Amino acid sequence: MDKLPRYIEVSSTLEFSRLVCALERAPRISFLHEHEGRKILSVQMDILKEKPIVYYTPLENHGHYLCYALKGDNEQSEIVNSTSDTSKLYSPIVRIKSLPDTLRPGNGTPDRYQPIELEDLASLAKLTYGFEESPFPLFLFPHSDKWLVGVFMNFTEEGTSYFCHVVLDNEPQKPFLKFANNTSEPSFVNSPSEHGYSYVKIIKLKDTHPLVDYGHLQN
């Protein structure tokens, strides 16, 4: 059985910066290495049937840290060499000279996330209940003429993995989902700054996620 990683590209360096920095107790480490002939930054976010699921973005500049900041409703991302500005978040960049064979891309297997369509964004937000740390991010990507936003999860370590999602007619233009533990409806916002609410970050992929079993999507 193929246990090699699957690499999935996010739509921009900003999306990757949000993935590794925003709403984390401490920013995740970013790994710099070659992939298909180019330098990328990568981070493992899941395991599907013993295969690491790695998200990445092509590296545009060189430096020691991936910097992420929120100023008002505007996000900023850049590669820097210092962590001197304490108002910003920094993901350390670890440079890998050569990947071992076990971290090179797999040749693909039939293992897929099984889709579970939820009725509304409120149901999707409720999946974050009970997380002591920051909940797993929501991933956003196009499928056919719709947009899917959801979370990848499994209910048992050895069991089937699922993509719990909501189908949207249009692409959300704001990168966070805001919600409260009451009857108010969740909403997409630019910044997780308003007190009294919970937030989940949204990460947009470059293309349709390759590991969802779309043949079992509900009509």
Side-chain angles (χ1 to χ4, degrees):
M1 181 176 65
D2 179 7
K3 297 181 181 179
L4 298 174
R6 294 298 301 270
Y7 286 80
I8 300 169
E9 186 173 353
V10 301
S11 68
S12 68
T13 302
L14 178 59
E15 299 290 328
F16 187 86
S17 301
R18 187 185 314 121
L19 176 62
V20 296
C21 290
L23 301 180
E24 298 288 332
R25 178 173 294 181
R28 298 172 183 265
I29 294 173
S30 300
F31 292 93
L32 168 61
H33 56 89
E34 283 198 1
H35 173 68
E36 297 181 344
R38 57 180 176 170
K39 295 287 188 180
I40 66 168
L41 291 176
S42 73
V43 62
Q44 179 180 330
M45 294 298 296
D46 199 10
I47 294 178
L48 175 63
K49 297 295 185 181
E50 301 185 61
K51 288 185 293 294
I53 306 301
V54 179
Y55 293 88
Y56 75 92
T57 186
L59 182 65
E60 300 172 353
N61 300 297
H62 293 282
H64 290 283
Y65 300 92
L66 178 61
C67 175
Y68 174 83
L70 262 171
K71 293 189 175 181
D73 286 344
N74 297 314
E75 295 178 293
Q76 298 177 352
S77 173
E78 60 180 331
I79 303 291
V80 298
N81 289 316
S82 167
T83 61
S84 57
D85 188 343
T86 57
S87 68
K88 299 178 180 180
L89 297 171
Y90 300 91
S91 168
I93 296 175
V94 174
R95 303 178 184 184
I96 300 176
K97 185 174 182 179
S98 178
L99 284 179
D101 290 341
T102 53
L103 289 179
R104 297 185 185 279
N107 57 13
T109 68
D111 295 318
R112 294 290 184 270
Y113 292 97
Q114 296 302 308
I116 299 177
E117 183 177 349
L118 307 178
E119 286 194 1
D120 49 34
L121 289 172
S123 296
L124 183 59
K126 289 172 185 174
L127 289 177
T128 67
Y129 285 11
F131 281 86
E132 294 182 0
E133 299 184 8
S134 299
F136 200 87
L138 302 178
F139 287 95
L140 171 72
F141 52 88
H143 176 67
S144 298
D145 60 344
K146 303 289 186 179
W147 286 84
L148 307 184
V149 59
V151 60
F152 295 97
M153 62 190 308
N154 50 40
F155 301 106
T156 61
E157 290 186 3
E158 302 298 328
T160 302
S161 294
Y162 296 94
F163 176 53
C164 301
H165 68 281
V166 174
V167 178
L168 304 174
D169 290 330
N170 300 298
E171 176 190 355
Q173 299 299 316
K174 299 177 180 180
F176 296 94
L177 182 67
K178 180 181 79 171
F179 59 96
N181 299 336
N182 53 37
T183 57
S184 62
E185 287 297 314
S187 59
F188 297 106
V189 295
N190 286 316
S191 170
S193 58
E194 188 175 352
H195 294 294
Y197 292 90
S198 298
Y199 297 89
V200 185
K201 59 189 171 188
I202 300 169
I203 309 301
K204 180 183 174 183
L205 302 184
K206 182 180 179 182
D207 300 302
T208 299
H209 200 291
L211 298 179
V212 174
D213 186 355
Y214 296 105
H216 285 82
L217 280 178
Q218 301 169 8
N219 295 322

